[in-house]
Amino acid sequence: MMKKVLLGWLLCIVGVPMLYLFAGRELMLEAIEGKAPAWFNQILETFYPRFAIEKHRFDTHFFLSKADQVVIRFSLVQMFLLVFTSAYIFKLPFRNQVNAFWDTPVSVRQVHWLRVLFYLGMLFFTYDWFYYLDLVRPAEIFYKPLLLLRILNIDFPSVPVSGIVFGLLMLSYAGVIFWVKPVSCSIISTLLFVLMQGWLYSFEKIDHTFSTLTYAALIMPFLVYEQQKAFRAASPQQAAWPLQLIRVCIAMVYVMAGLEKLLIAGTEWFNPESFRSYLFLHQAPAGLWVAQSDVLCTILPFGAMLFQLGFCSILFFRRLTPFVLLAGIGFHAGTYILLEVGWYFNAWIFVYIFFIDWTWLDPYLPNRQTRATLTDGFQ
Amino acid sequence: MISLLWIPFVLLTDLYPFFRFGMFAEPVREAIQMEQFAIRYTSFNQRQQVLTPKQLGISSLDYLLRNYYYRNQAIAFLENIHTIYPGKHIVREWQFLRITSPAQMFKPDTAIVARYTIPAKP
């Protein structure tokens, strides 16, 4: 039975590119010429809102290659999932390894420090969001809500509403940090963080500054919930699957960024002229200095690709952690110095806290709290 | 969650709160022209002033300008800017500028792509 399901899945993976070649490409051409059926235009408008803008900027080839990319990527991801699922079902050692990865427990102390550090970090990165919302308020006329806010029918907030939301966001951070209704507070903080960020990004520009922080924030309530469960059971250890999931998400982000370059630019991305052109475009003094060297313009993009695709090694080889994290700090610092994108201490580097063992901070726990953690919990 | 993460990657677009990470993925060639946009006003005493994102409180001004230009809504953009600009009482005319130049920025070429003259008060 299982084999039949997997075979059906394989047929779907082969069938989708076939269907695209026979009908999908034609539909895309019709959309570029403005002759596509309304339902197809609606799909394009929903998932590719920039199409209306970009069809005036780029030629047919650009859009066809984009459509090709969607089909290629769909097939690649499905193929990977199929291989993974098949291996999980039919190879016992692989299944055991996967299960061990998700089931290995983590100490409640480690999660305690992660929880406190993470929400302090959230506080640091968002303490000025009320100010920024107020700053863009005069430009409300340009507000164009993101898909999520459109679906939920959420308008740009008035001053009192943004003040209340911001106040609740800050209070929810405090609640998680000081263990007052921690699960509810972590859920509220995630929802409000996503909401406020959504408001700020609803001016036709999505920023990736807080992307990994957002993913971690979406998963943190589960980690806090598992911690609460462990406290109630007076267990010194708790389920680690949310922590592992955060780590996997962070690693995947880097892998996806690397794959984007390989799939879009291919080997052209390793051409020193490509990197040199980026340096000239951004005009950073250090970048212009690097642009003079063929060797650096070859080594640096190659190193960046190696780092992005290799980041996932941190999940399987814990001994590599310090080297990978140091490479990550170098990567983001280099992006800032050479291209003036980001900042030295950015949210991308901050989320590396999830890969670090924080139990060395245990002696700094207040005694009362330590006792409570080990015996009765905080309930 | 892991599946959701890959949807923007497959569809080549951000689906907030999930993101696509395509920055620096396109190879840049010198033949590609640099393209920037700006807005400028002429005051009643003939002084010209280019507005910065900071003066308008819109950090995404560059993106807005590009999007409105390619949606053929440059005049609507200038009308909106006039509505929100605090110093509008001195403005006689708004101009939407398109600046193009080769990648290494020699001899930029500036073109006025739209104008919005403030209607005279009755």
Side-chain angles (χ1 to χ4, degrees), chain A residues 279 282-292 336-340:
Chain A
L279 296 172
H282 287 261
Q283 293 282 303
L288 293 175
W289 180 79
V290 165
Q292 296 167 18
Y336 177 61
I337 293 166
L338 301 181
L339 299 161
E340 291 184 343

Side-chain angles (χ1 to χ4, degrees), chain A residues 116-148:
Chain A
V116 171
L117 286 171
F118 180 74
Y119 286 97
L120 282 175
M122 292 279 277
L123 186 70
F124 173 77
F125 288 114
T126 60
Y127 75 92
D128 49 5
W129 279 14
F130 176 73
Y131 164 76
Y132 279 116
L133 268 180
D134 220 35
L135 208 63
V136 293
R137 193 175 306 284
E140 192 183 335
I141 203 164
F142 294 108
Y143 178 70
K144 198 175 173 199
L146 297 170
L147 182 65
L148 179 73

Side-chain angles (χ1 to χ4, degrees), chain B residues 61-112:
Chain B
L61 183 67
D62 296 337
Y63 288 82
L64 284 172
L65 284 162
R66 172 170 286 113
N67 294 353
Y68 274 76
Y69 171 75
Y70 283 107
R71 287 199 299 250
N72 294 322
Q73 295 174 334
I75 293 175
F77 184 88
L78 294 177
E79 286 174 5
N80 285 345
I81 286 292
H82 184 71
T83 310
I84 64 169
Y85 186 56
K88 60 184 168 192
H89 57 278
I90 61 164
V91 178
R92 188 175 59 82
E93 184 188 67
W94 290 95
Q95 295 171 348
F96 195 113
L97 309 176
R98 181 170 180 250
I99 304 140
T100 50
S101 68
Q104 296 191 20
M105 287 188 272
F106 298 117
K107 294 182 186 170
D109 181 29
T110 303
I112 299 172

